[in-house]
Amino acid sequence: MTAVIDSFTIGGTASGPSMPGVRLQRLIGTRITVYPMERKLLVPTPNGPMMACQGDRIVLYDDGTLEVEKHR
């Protein structure tokens, strides 16, 4: 069983801003592709690349895998 070690919600939540932790920050721009004009991130997941946008949550697990939890 894998454990969540870092996560953030793009654009924040109703409670306030959400910022990636150090581990996810290292992946942004390397494993996670940034599309600044569209304000989206392309995240490699075990099921293939997923586009994440505002409201979506990006999760990093202790085995190094990433997941996108879609807002809608």
Side-chain angles (χ1 to χ4, degrees), residues 2 31 43-50 58-61 63-69:
T2 57
R31 284 181 56 200
V43 181
T45 72
N47 296 321
M50 287 188 68
I58 298 176
V59 180
L60 174 63
Y61 295 98
D63 65 358
T65 60
L66 293 159
E67 195 60 62
V68 175
E69 295 176 354

Side-chain angles (χ1 to χ4, degrees), residues 2-50:
T2 57
V4 174
I5 58 171
D6 201 355
S7 70
F8 79 103
T9 301
I10 299 172
T13 66
S15 301
S18 178
M19 298 295 293
V22 174
R23 291 180 173 126
L24 271 171
Q25 283 180 13
R26 282 189 229 135
L27 300 179
I28 296 173
T30 56
R31 284 181 56 200
I32 299 172
T33 305
V34 180
Y35 292 94
M37 298 302 288
E38 295 86 7
R39 296 172 49 181
K40 295 181 179 180
L41 301 173
L42 184 63
V43 181
T45 72
N47 296 321
M50 287 188 68

